[in-house]
Amino acid sequence: MNKLLALLLTALAGPALAQDVAALTVETKKAVLPVVPKVVNAMQEAVADKGVAGAIPVCKEQAPELIKVKRQETGWDIRRVSLKPRNAERGTPDLWEVRQLADFNVRAALGEKPETLEKSEVVSIDGKPVFRYMKALPVGDVCLKCHGPAESLDPALKAKLAESYPQDQATGYAKGQIRGALTVKRPL
Ligand code: HEC
């Protein structure tokens, strides 16, 4: 009997879940996405004011700090991840994130605009429902200064990056490619 009931509940939950996902997506984006233009603007200003090497703290400290504040505000797990992380300790994706990042690359290759790529899903983690959201972070002009082809980088910047990130994988990108993603986990 219990099995039947469970099946019935699952069937009933189907359409309701789709609505939940849409509502959760809207709410999550509203809370989290304002961080993205803040970081990009801070980056552009810092590069203009202090030069590329002087702008490292924006991606290294300011972006993680803004994310941390959002984490405290919302109680959700929010991070930046990449298939080629510069800071592997913070930026290594889990399996679900690897799949979405790979899928973003496929979708971009098939013509979707990189800045529109996102994914929402309710998944089960340790038997508990968790809402997951991911938003692609495309490479714009300013990003190339620190994530473009290694041979094109400013020598002083390169030296600084090598010091902090001996395992850096985050170079060699072209404009419009996907640098990584903002990722959110919300226990339901
Ligand atoms: C001034 C140099 C600089 C510029 C310009 C820059 N970044 Fe970064 N980026 C870094 C550094 C340094 C890190 C490592 C941060 C850390 O230690 O967590 C990083 C890390 C990241 C990460 C986290 C994943 C990882 O690789 O560790 C993402 C995502 C990212 N950058 C995206 C961007 C995007 C998108 C732009 C353009 C809007 C950009 N960056 C511009 C220096 C830069």
Side-chain angles (χ1 to χ4, degrees), residues 18 25 33 44-45 75 82 87-88 93-94 97 105 107 109-110 116 118 137 145 148 150 155 162 166 172 174 188:
T25 303
L33 291 195
Q44 271 154 355
E45 274 171 29
S82 173
N87 186 335
D94 67 19
E97 289 161 339
N105 284 333
R107 286 163 63 185
L110 291 174
T116 64
E118 61 179 2
L137 299 171
K145 293 184 188 295
L188 295 176

mmCIF file of all heavy atoms in Angstrom, residues 18 25 33 44-45 75 82 87-88 93-94 97 105 107 109-110 116 118 137 145 148 150 155 162 166 172 174 188:
data_model
loop_
_atom_site.group_PDB
_atom_site.id
_atom_site.type_symbol
_atom_site.label_atom_id
_atom_site.label_comp_id
_atom_site.label_asym_id
_atom_site.label_seq_id
_atom_site.Cartn_x
_atom_site.Cartn_y
_atom_site.Cartn_z
ATOM 1 N N ALA A 18 7.009 21.340 -11.576
ATOM 2 C CA ALA A 18 7.405 22.202 -12.690
ATOM 3 C C ALA A 18 7.131 23.661 -12.340
ATOM 4 O O ALA A 18 7.957 24.534 -12.598
ATOM 5 C CB ALA A 18 6.662 21.792 -13.953
ATOM 6 N N THR A 25 13.194 29.499 -9.583
ATOM 7 C CA THR A 25 14.182 30.097 -10.487
ATOM 8 C C THR A 25 14.080 31.615 -10.440
ATOM 9 O O THR A 25 15.095 32.313 -10.291
ATOM 10 C CB THR A 25 13.961 29.595 -11.933
ATOM 11 O OG1 THR A 25 14.030 28.174 -11.931
ATOM 12 C CG2 THR A 25 15.014 30.140 -12.884
ATOM 13 N N LEU A 33 21.509 37.153 -8.864
ATOM 14 C CA LEU A 33 22.150 37.664 -10.084
ATOM 15 C C LEU A 33 22.673 39.097 -10.018
ATOM 16 O O LEU A 33 23.617 39.422 -10.740
ATOM 17 C CB LEU A 33 21.228 37.492 -11.298
ATOM 18 C CG LEU A 33 21.010 36.037 -11.728
ATOM 19 C CD1 LEU A 33 20.403 35.981 -13.121
ATOM 20 C CD2 LEU A 33 22.316 35.233 -11.693
ATOM 21 N N GLN A 44 35.922 46.360 -14.424
ATOM 22 C CA GLN A 44 36.250 47.362 -15.437
ATOM 23 C C GLN A 44 36.882 48.593 -14.796
ATOM 24 O O GLN A 44 37.878 49.116 -15.299
ATOM 25 C CB GLN A 44 34.984 47.741 -16.223
ATOM 26 C CG GLN A 44 34.799 46.830 -17.430
ATOM 27 C CD GLN A 44 33.357 46.696 -17.867
ATOM 28 O OE1 GLN A 44 32.449 47.213 -17.212
ATOM 29 N NE2 GLN A 44 33.141 46.004 -18.965
ATOM 30 N N GLU A 45 36.318 49.030 -13.677
ATOM 31 C CA GLU A 45 36.863 50.208 -12.986
ATOM 32 C C GLU A 45 38.276 49.945 -12.480
ATOM 33 O O GLU A 45 39.162 50.778 -12.648
ATOM 34 C CB GLU A 45 35.985 50.583 -11.789
ATOM 35 C CG GLU A 45 34.836 51.477 -12.179
ATOM 36 C CD GLU A 45 33.847 51.663 -11.033
ATOM 37 O OE1 GLU A 45 34.263 51.603 -9.860
ATOM 38 O OE2 GLU A 45 32.652 51.847 -11.328
ATOM 39 N N GLY A 75 21.286 32.206 3.084
ATOM 40 C CA GLY A 75 21.488 30.885 3.669
ATOM 41 C C GLY A 75 21.710 29.804 2.616
ATOM 42 O O GLY A 75 21.755 28.615 2.932
ATOM 43 N N SER A 82 34.245 26.481 -12.530
ATOM 44 C CA SER A 82 34.712 26.470 -13.921
ATOM 45 C C SER A 82 35.257 25.092 -14.262
ATOM 46 O O SER A 82 35.772 24.387 -13.388
ATOM 47 C CB SER A 82 35.812 27.519 -14.093
ATOM 48 O OG SER A 82 36.389 27.428 -15.380
ATOM 49 N N ASN A 87 41.391 28.996 -9.314
ATOM 50 C CA ASN A 87 41.492 28.607 -7.909
ATOM 51 C C ASN A 87 40.704 27.301 -7.725
ATOM 52 O O ASN A 87 39.502 27.315 -7.497
ATOM 53 C CB ASN A 87 40.912 29.706 -7.023
ATOM 54 C CG ASN A 87 41.129 29.421 -5.549
ATOM 55 O OD1 ASN A 87 41.270 28.274 -5.153
ATOM 56 N ND2 ASN A 87 41.147 30.460 -4.754
ATOM 57 N N ALA A 88 41.414 26.179 -7.844
ATOM 58 C CA ALA A 88 40.746 24.875 -7.823
ATOM 59 C C ALA A 88 40.049 24.618 -6.487
ATOM 60 O O ALA A 88 39.035 23.928 -6.432
ATOM 61 C CB ALA A 88 41.744 23.761 -8.117
ATOM 62 N N PRO A 93 34.033 22.320 -9.965
ATOM 63 C CA PRO A 93 32.611 21.962 -10.011
ATOM 64 C C PRO A 93 32.356 20.534 -9.518
ATOM 65 O O PRO A 93 33.237 19.679 -9.649
ATOM 66 C CB PRO A 93 32.270 22.075 -11.497
ATOM 67 C CG PRO A 93 33.561 21.953 -12.228
ATOM 68 C CD PRO A 93 34.651 22.378 -11.300
ATOM 69 N N ASP A 94 31.162 20.277 -8.973
ATOM 70 C CA ASP A 94 30.783 18.892 -8.666
ATOM 71 C C ASP A 94 30.220 18.265 -9.949
ATOM 72 O O ASP A 94 30.148 18.920 -10.994
ATOM 73 C CB ASP A 94 29.824 18.835 -7.464
ATOM 74 C CG ASP A 94 28.455 19.458 -7.744
ATOM 75 O OD1 ASP A 94 28.089 19.614 -8.926
ATOM 76 O OD2 ASP A 94 27.756 19.781 -6.769
ATOM 77 N N GLU A 97 27.428 20.038 -11.705
ATOM 78 C CA GLU A 97 27.908 21.288 -12.305
ATOM 79 C C GLU A 97 28.755 21.025 -13.551
ATOM 80 O O GLU A 97 28.671 21.778 -14.531
ATOM 81 C CB GLU A 97 28.697 22.082 -11.257
ATOM 82 C CG GLU A 97 27.787 22.656 -10.174
ATOM 83 C CD GLU A 97 28.512 23.053 -8.890
ATOM 84 O OE1 GLU A 97 29.629 22.542 -8.638
ATOM 85 O OE2 GLU A 97 27.960 23.840 -8.109
ATOM 86 N N ASN A 105 28.370 24.647 -22.970
ATOM 87 C CA ASN A 105 29.277 24.750 -24.117
ATOM 88 C C ASN A 105 28.615 24.211 -25.387
ATOM 89 O O ASN A 105 28.743 24.803 -26.460
ATOM 90 C CB ASN A 105 30.582 23.991 -23.847
ATOM 91 C CG ASN A 105 31.503 24.757 -22.909
ATOM 92 O OD1 ASN A 105 31.450 25.980 -22.834
ATOM 93 N ND2 ASN A 105 32.338 24.035 -22.174
ATOM 94 N N ARG A 107 25.328 24.007 -25.927
ATOM 95 C CA ARG A 107 24.235 24.917 -26.299
ATOM 96 C C ARG A 107 24.769 26.181 -26.972
ATOM 97 O O ARG A 107 24.180 26.678 -27.940
ATOM 98 C CB ARG A 107 23.409 25.270 -25.055
ATOM 99 C CG ARG A 107 22.511 24.112 -24.603
ATOM 100 C CD ARG A 107 22.014 24.266 -23.177
ATOM 101 N NE ARG A 107 21.167 25.443 -22.995
ATOM 102 C CZ ARG A 107 20.691 25.836 -21.798
ATOM 103 N NH1 ARG A 107 20.965 25.146 -20.705
ATOM 104 N NH2 ARG A 107 19.940 26.913 -21.703
ATOM 105 N N ALA A 109 27.590 26.349 -28.680
ATOM 106 C CA ALA A 109 28.055 25.942 -30.016
ATOM 107 C C ALA A 109 26.879 25.798 -30.976
ATOM 108 O O ALA A 109 27.015 26.003 -32.184
ATOM 109 C CB ALA A 109 28.830 24.623 -29.924
ATOM 110 N N LEU A 110 25.699 25.461 -30.436
ATOM 111 C CA LEU A 110 24.514 25.303 -31.284
ATOM 112 C C LEU A 110 23.792 26.628 -31.508
ATOM 113 O O LEU A 110 22.733 26.665 -32.119
ATOM 114 C CB LEU A 110 23.554 24.284 -30.660
ATOM 115 C CG LEU A 110 24.048 22.826 -30.661
ATOM 116 C CD1 LEU A 110 23.095 21.925 -29.893
ATOM 117 C CD2 LEU A 110 24.237 22.318 -32.084
ATOM 118 N N THR A 116 22.674 34.062 -22.011
ATOM 119 C CA THR A 116 21.322 33.620 -21.652
ATOM 120 C C THR A 116 21.322 32.202 -21.077
ATOM 121 O O THR A 116 20.275 31.693 -20.686
ATOM 122 C CB THR A 116 20.395 33.629 -22.886
ATOM 123 O OG1 THR A 116 20.902 32.656 -23.826
ATOM 124 C CG2 THR A 116 20.326 34.989 -23.543
ATOM 125 N N GLU A 118 21.328 29.161 -18.783
ATOM 126 C CA GLU A 118 21.100 28.870 -17.371
ATOM 127 C C GLU A 118 20.435 27.517 -17.257
ATOM 128 O O GLU A 118 19.965 26.953 -18.249
ATOM 129 C CB GLU A 118 20.230 29.961 -16.725
ATOM 130 C CG GLU A 118 18.871 30.101 -17.345
ATOM 131 C CD GLU A 118 18.003 31.163 -16.671
ATOM 132 O OE1 GLU A 118 18.460 31.820 -15.735
ATOM 133 O OE2 GLU A 118 16.842 31.307 -17.098
ATOM 134 N N LEU A 137 28.779 32.318 -17.059
ATOM 135 C CA LEU A 137 29.503 33.589 -17.031
ATOM 136 C C LEU A 137 30.378 33.660 -18.282
ATOM 137 O O LEU A 137 31.433 33.038 -18.340
ATOM 138 C CB LEU A 137 30.370 33.671 -15.770
ATOM 139 C CG LEU A 137 29.616 33.601 -14.435
ATOM 140 C CD1 LEU A 137 30.594 33.467 -13.269
ATOM 141 C CD2 LEU A 137 28.735 34.833 -14.248
ATOM 142 N N LYS A 145 41.859 40.068 -20.381
ATOM 143 C CA LYS A 145 43.119 40.568 -19.829
ATOM 144 C C LYS A 145 43.733 39.584 -18.845
ATOM 145 O O LYS A 145 44.945 39.569 -18.657
ATOM 146 C CB LYS A 145 42.892 41.914 -19.131
ATOM 147 C CG LYS A 145 42.508 43.011 -20.096
ATOM 148 C CD LYS A 145 42.398 44.341 -19.380
ATOM 149 C CE LYS A 145 41.834 45.427 -20.257
ATOM 150 N NZ LYS A 145 42.707 45.758 -21.399
ATOM 151 N N GLY A 148 42.598 35.466 -21.071
ATOM 152 C CA GLY A 148 42.863 35.274 -22.500
ATOM 153 C C GLY A 148 44.063 34.347 -22.691
ATOM 154 O O GLY A 148 44.571 33.771 -21.725
ATOM 155 N N ALA A 150 47.573 32.742 -22.797
ATOM 156 C CA ALA A 150 48.671 32.994 -21.859
ATOM 157 C C ALA A 150 49.707 33.943 -22.468
ATOM 158 O O ALA A 150 50.217 34.845 -21.790
ATOM 159 C CB ALA A 150 49.306 31.677 -21.445
ATOM 160 N N PRO A 155 53.096 40.818 -18.702
ATOM 161 C CA PRO A 155 54.107 40.026 -17.970
ATOM 162 C C PRO A 155 54.039 40.185 -16.456
ATOM 163 O O PRO A 155 54.209 39.199 -15.728
ATOM 164 C CB PRO A 155 55.440 40.561 -18.511
ATOM 165 C CG PRO A 155 55.114 41.227 -19.800
ATOM 166 C CD PRO A 155 53.693 41.672 -19.738
ATOM 167 N N ALA A 162 51.131 33.551 -11.445
ATOM 168 C CA ALA A 162 51.927 32.338 -11.242
ATOM 169 C C ALA A 162 52.255 32.137 -9.762
ATOM 170 O O ALA A 162 52.300 31.012 -9.269
ATOM 171 C CB ALA A 162 53.204 32.412 -12.069
ATOM 172 N N PRO A 166 49.835 28.477 -8.972
ATOM 173 C CA PRO A 166 50.772 27.683 -9.781
ATOM 174 C C PRO A 166 50.062 26.652 -10.675
ATOM 175 O O PRO A 166 50.625 26.221 -11.678
ATOM 176 C CB PRO A 166 51.654 27.005 -8.723
ATOM 177 C CG PRO A 166 50.964 27.193 -7.410
ATOM 178 C CD PRO A 166 50.085 28.380 -7.542
ATOM 179 N N GLY A 172 43.612 31.153 -21.964
ATOM 180 C CA GLY A 172 43.364 30.572 -23.284
ATOM 181 C C GLY A 172 41.933 30.752 -23.756
ATOM 182 O O GLY A 172 41.528 30.159 -24.750
ATOM 183 N N ALA A 174 38.624 32.751 -25.388
ATOM 184 C CA ALA A 174 38.307 33.766 -26.384
ATOM 185 C C ALA A 174 36.999 34.435 -25.983
ATOM 186 O O ALA A 174 36.206 33.858 -25.213
ATOM 187 C CB ALA A 174 38.157 33.133 -27.759
ATOM 188 N N LEU A 188 15.386 22.450 0.020
ATOM 189 C CA LEU A 188 13.945 22.804 0.024
ATOM 190 C C LEU A 188 13.285 22.308 1.305
ATOM 191 O O LEU A 188 13.775 21.412 1.941
ATOM 192 C CB LEU A 188 13.267 22.200 -1.202
ATOM 193 C CG LEU A 188 13.745 22.768 -2.537
ATOM 194 C CD1 LEU A 188 13.089 22.045 -3.685
ATOM 195 C CD2 LEU A 188 13.456 24.274 -2.634
#
